[in-house]
Structure formats: C-alpha cells, structure tokens
Amino acid sequence: MRPMPPPSVEYALSPLGEELAPVLHAIVRVGIQLREVPLPPHRHERPTRRAQRQTCPP
C-alpha cells in the first residue's frame, strides 16, 4: 500500500450565512469585552447541596 494524503474539504458560507457575519462579529466583540470586566465572586442566595453535605455530619 502506498501512503495517500488525506482528502481535503473546502467549506463556504451561503449568501444567507454571509449575512450573519456582522452579527457573529458583534457577539465576539462583546465576549472579548466581557472577559476584561472583573466580576465579584459568585455567591448563592441559599446553600448548595454540596455545601450542605460538607457542613452536616453523616
């Protein structure tokens, strides 16, 4: 058997898909901005089941 290169595939967006490009770019921009926003540590309003198991003796 002779080694063969793997098959190649080319993808392209349809015209309808290309219309979504500005929306996708906007979502990416917002995501990048949100990564830079410091958030306070998340606290649950009531104890989680895991926290309850850790504090209750078996």
Side-chain angles (χ1 to χ4, degrees):
M1 258 177 96
R2 290 187 297 163
M4 296 178 62
S8 64
V9 178
E10 291 187 27
Y11 295 95
L13 287 175
S14 67
L16 181 61
E18 289 177 357
E19 289 184 35
L20 291 173
V23 175
L24 296 174
H25 290 296
I27 291 171
V28 169
R29 280 195 306 274
V30 169
I32 290 170
Q33 291 172 351
L34 287 175
R35 281 194 310 199
E36 298 171 1
V37 174
L39 298 175
H42 179 73
R43 297 273 183 202
H44 290 279
E45 291 180 14
R46 56 192 173 114
T48 62
R49 286 187 214 149
R50 177 181 290 175
Q52 290 172 346
R53 285 193 305 257
Q54 291 173 350
T55 56
C56 296

